Amino acid sequence: MSDNDDNPRTFTDEQSSDLRSKLLTCLINQQSEDANDLLDYALAMITNGKTVEYIVNDLKNMGMDHICDGDASERIGKTIDLFLRGASASASAAANTMSPLKNRLQDLLKKKGDTVALKQKKAS
């Protein structure tokens, strides 16, 4: 199995901040400077398309048990999985919402074009 999902992931600044806040709550020692470095690393792995399983295993093997032991790594994995499922669902919902709007706009533009063509025909 590959260590990467299909594609790298992109997030808005708001999404990144939200995910970072959620991941921070999973750590044992949230006040450590090492905690910020670990979160930067985890977020980089997420955006680079690493699988949740890969991220969890990597965090478990970092030797930073004072910040992120095996249990904390599992919590991080669950948090990432839930976040990614939510981001995916939001993107699908946005696409489904935009399709009817796009179709309606195209219909309106076509009707406007038909009206202009009719006016030009009557004028000639």
Side-chain angles (χ1 to χ4, degrees), residues 70-112:
D71 290 338
S73 298
E74 292 294 333
R75 287 191 302 269
I76 285 174
K78 288 177 184 174
T79 301
I80 293 168
D81 186 51
L82 287 172
F83 183 87
L84 293 177
R85 289 174 194 254
S88 177
S90 294
S92 294
N96 290 337
T97 301
M98 291 305 293
S99 291
L101 293 174
K102 181 180 177 183
N103 291 340
R104 177 73 176 135
L105 180 58
Q106 287 173 338
D107 288 344
L108 289 172
L109 290 172
K110 182 181 181 308
K111 286 178 185 177
K112 182 178 179 181

Side-chain angles (χ1 to χ4, degrees), residues 12-24:
T12 65
D13 289 343
E14 184 178 332
Q15 288 172 319
S16 294
S17 178
D18 182 38
L19 178 55
R20 185 181 191 84
S21 295
K22 289 175 180 177
L23 294 178
L24 183 63

